Amino acid sequence: MSNIVAIVGRPNVGKSTLFNRMIKRREAIVDSVSGVTRDRHYGKSDWNGKEFSLIDTGGYVVGSDDIFEQEIDKQVELAIDEADAILFVVDVESGITGMDEEVANLLRRVNKPVLLVVNKVDAANRLHDATEFYSLGLGEYYPIASINGSGTGEMLDALIEALPEVEEKEEENLPRFAVVGRPNAGKSSLINALIGEERYIVTDIAGTTRDAIDTKYNRFGFEFNLVDTAGIRRKAKVKEDLEFYSVMRSIRAIEHSDVCLLVVDATRGFDSQVQNIFWLAEKNHKGVVILVNKWDLVEKDTSTVKEFEKHIRQQIEPFTDVPIVFISALTKQRIFKAIETAVQVYKNRSNRVPTSKLNDVMLPIIENMPPPAYKGKYIKIKYCTQLPTNYPQFAFYANLPQYIRDPYRRFVENKLREQFDFTGVPVQVYFRKK
């Protein structure tokens, strides 16, 4: 599980530019995932070998009548509440504004590392101008230019130094199945139905689960931890934006899981909020099972299941090889089928293909359908192997790997899925110089 870092500040100070630069800084970084409001983004970054999740919050505006800005303000406060460290971005061009002072007042009350980042310092004379930000009372500041990356290295060094150590659970090495989804989709009801007791509070009000809780579970001779991740905590001074907060909690749960059970409310459909959580799981290389809950409330005909499933698969292209199970936590319809499917996905994620078998199967397929020639140069793939990682990654060795394009990468991935059982699991394919 990695730390969470929130980028906050008033509008138009360059937060999103800094976010984009940070998530693209290293090859291992996962792309950003669009969030739940107009400019919400999540991503993963790393610096000096330490990974962290990054949240780009909207611009904080105090006392606005604009309903969107009021919602953004709520989400900024929630991000501050949930984050392990905060990057407070200000603009050297405009100097200290009243809104900067309001944000600084908010951050001074936070018992977390806060790094004051003075942006747009892209000339020597602006270094002197940046000194006025000392008066915000947040201590040392870090002058940067997010547009070209100047100064970001020193800022990241300080950020890594300030991040708290993440506690790793060492007592058990059981697989973790995280139950994720938007509020009020039926996550806690599902776990209650599975374990046969009212372990969690379940109401019709979204957001009643306070924290993610593990339940040790044994089914089909397979023991694992089942994790309820609704995780909406009541805060007297924080007005909950439930959709944003559900993603915040899901980030932590997904990163520390092996398989994600994505619960979808059948009466609301596979909307953008659910898609965001799905792609968070995919970007973190976790196994995924989609559970369409409250199926007993849907009016059905002979084609309802087929049409619903078709719609979901269109929304998750190109990663369409994901099990979809239609359940009802209330009537316990197919809930054990859901667990059986999740266990199989976990086994698929742990699947190791012997190198000899991999080459015997894949090389003839590649020989019959080789990569397209590039500028008259023919690409030959001679050898492949599965990498020793905790999720399926494969390296294919070629004479000219730099000329292999994404469509052919997807072709190889699809053939791997056809020949070997990786249902519900993201597969990574690399082409390397032989």
Side-chain angles (χ1 to χ4, degrees):
M1 187 182 297
S2 61
N3 295 111
I4 292 180
V5 177
I7 304 177
V8 305
R10 60 181 173 81
N12 303 318
V13 294
K15 298 185 302 300
S16 294
T17 306
L18 177 60
F19 170 85
N20 289 335
R21 177 163 293 279
M22 289 175 73
I23 67 165
K24 294 174 183 175
R25 180 167 292 279
R26 301 288 285 273
E27 288 184 0
I29 291 165
V30 178
D31 293 336
S32 65
V33 181
S34 295
V36 297
T37 65
R38 294 180 297 179
D39 56 351
R40 188 72 54 249
H41 294 90
Y42 310 88
K44 284 185 73 68
S45 183
D46 75 74
W47 185 253
N48 291 341
K50 185 163 185 175
E51 287 193 349
F52 53 92
S53 296
L54 201 62
I55 303 166
D56 172 23
T57 66
Y60 193 87
V61 181
V62 178
S64 172
D65 294 328
D66 187 311
I67 188 168
F68 286 106
E69 290 177 344
Q70 290 173 14
E71 289 303 308
I72 289 170
D73 288 359
K74 293 179 189 178
Q75 295 183 15
V76 169
E77 290 172 337
L78 287 167
I80 291 170
D81 180 56
E82 183 68 9
D84 298 298
I86 297 135
L87 299 177
F88 174 27
V89 184
V90 293
D91 182 352
V92 73
E93 288 182 351
S94 57
I96 296 175
T97 68
M99 281 185 283
D100 291 331
E101 291 175 342
E102 291 284 352
V103 179
N105 289 337
L106 179 67
L107 294 177
R108 278 197 294 270
R109 298 192 293 269
V110 175
N111 188 26
K112 295 178 180 179
V114 176
L115 274 67
L116 177 59
V117 180
V118 184
N119 195 20
K120 305 181 184 178
V121 183
D122 51 6
N125 60 313
R126 288 186 171 178
L127 280 172
H128 175 74
D129 296 338
T131 58
E132 73 165 300
F133 289 95
Y134 273 124
S135 64
L136 289 176
L138 292 170
E140 184 67 36
Y141 66 85
Y142 298 88
I144 70 161
S146 60
I147 194 71
N148 61 25
S150 173
T152 54
E154 291 80 359
M155 178 202 73
L156 284 164
D157 286 342
L159 174 63
I160 296 304
E161 184 70 24
L163 285 174
E165 288 297 320
V166 178
E167 293 184 12
E168 298 291 344
K169 294 185 177 180
E170 299 179 357
E171 65 276 7
E172 290 183 310
N173 196 28
L174 290 177
R176 289 173 61 89
F177 291 3
V179 182
V180 298
R182 64 181 301 161
N184 212 24
K187 299 181 292 297
S188 295
S189 296
L190 172 61
I191 293 182
N192 287 342
L194 287 168
I195 65 178
E197 60 183 80
E198 295 300 310
R199 168 80 179 257
Y200 302 116
I201 300 168
V202 181
T203 72
D204 291 330
I205 303 170
T208 56
T209 304
R210 306 289 176 110
D211 290 292
I213 310 170
D214 286 17
T215 300
K216 191 176 292 186
Y217 193 84
N218 194 313
R219 193 78 185 179
F220 311 110
F222 186 85
E223 191 172 38
F224 54 91
N225 278 322
L226 198 59
V227 187
D228 181 0
T229 60
I232 307 298
R233 294 178 297 175
R234 296 291 181 187
K235 290 283 186 178
K237 296 183 179 180
V238 178
K239 298 176 182 178
E240 289 101 344
D241 181 312
L242 298 179
E243 306 295 355
F244 177 58
Y245 210 85
S246 70
V247 175
M248 294 283 292
R249 301 299 290 175
S250 294
I251 289 173
R252 290 191 184 277
I254 287 168
E255 288 180 344
H256 201 50
S257 69
D258 299 293
V259 176
C260 297
L261 303 176
L262 176 55
V263 181
V264 181
D265 184 339
T267 64
R268 302 184 69 168
F270 198 77
D271 58 19
S272 59
Q273 171 68 29
V274 182
Q275 291 174 43
N276 290 332
I277 298 175
F278 174 84
W279 290 115
L280 278 171
E282 190 273 340
K283 295 292 185 184
N284 282 278
H285 313 292
K286 307 301 181 181
V288 182
V289 179
I290 296 173
L291 306 181
V292 183
N293 190 28
K294 306 184 185 180
W295 194 238
D296 54 312
L297 303 180
V298 175
E299 292 187 13
K300 296 177 276 292
D301 56 34
T302 55
S303 62
T304 306
V305 169
K306 188 178 293 185
E307 289 299 318
F308 206 106
E309 185 172 327
K310 179 182 177 182
H311 171 72
I312 291 176
R313 296 201 187 280
Q314 287 174 342
Q315 301 303 311
I316 62 176
E317 289 179 345
F319 181 31
T320 57
D321 188 16
V322 177
I324 301 173
V325 183
F326 293 83
I327 69 167
S328 169
L330 184 65
T331 66
K332 300 190 177 182
Q333 180 185 23
R334 285 188 286 274
I335 61 171
F336 297 113
K337 173 67 174 177
I339 292 299
E340 185 179 14
T341 305
V343 170
Q344 186 57 52
V345 168
Y346 174 80
K347 292 177 179 177
N348 294 347
R349 188 171 183 262
S350 309
N351 187 22
R352 297 286 309 170
V353 182
T355 301
S356 58
K357 183 178 180 180
L358 184 65
N359 282 269
D360 289 344
V361 171
M362 293 302 297
L363 291 185
I365 294 173
I366 290 170
E367 189 174 341
N368 289 332
M369 185 66 71
Y374 184 80
K375 295 183 178 179
K377 296 180 179 179
Y378 292 93
I379 302 164
K380 295 182 180 180
I381 298 173
K382 295 292 187 182
Y383 176 75
C384 54
T385 187
Q386 185 172 357
L387 301 176
T389 55
N390 58 5
Y391 66 92
Q393 296 187 78
F394 297 87
F396 289 77
Y397 293 88
N399 59 333
L400 299 167
Q402 67 273 26
Y403 295 143
I404 299 176
R405 298 294 180 255
D406 281 342
Y408 193 79
R409 188 186 307 273
R410 287 193 292 272
F411 165 78
V412 172
E413 179 184 330
N414 289 336
K415 291 299 178 183
L416 282 166
R417 292 184 179 281
E418 285 178 17
Q419 300 297 323
F420 310 102
D421 191 359
F422 291 113
T423 302
V425 184
V427 173
Q428 200 92 30
V429 175
Y430 300 97
F431 294 99
R432 295 177 174 173
K433 186 76 174 175
K434 67 178 182 180

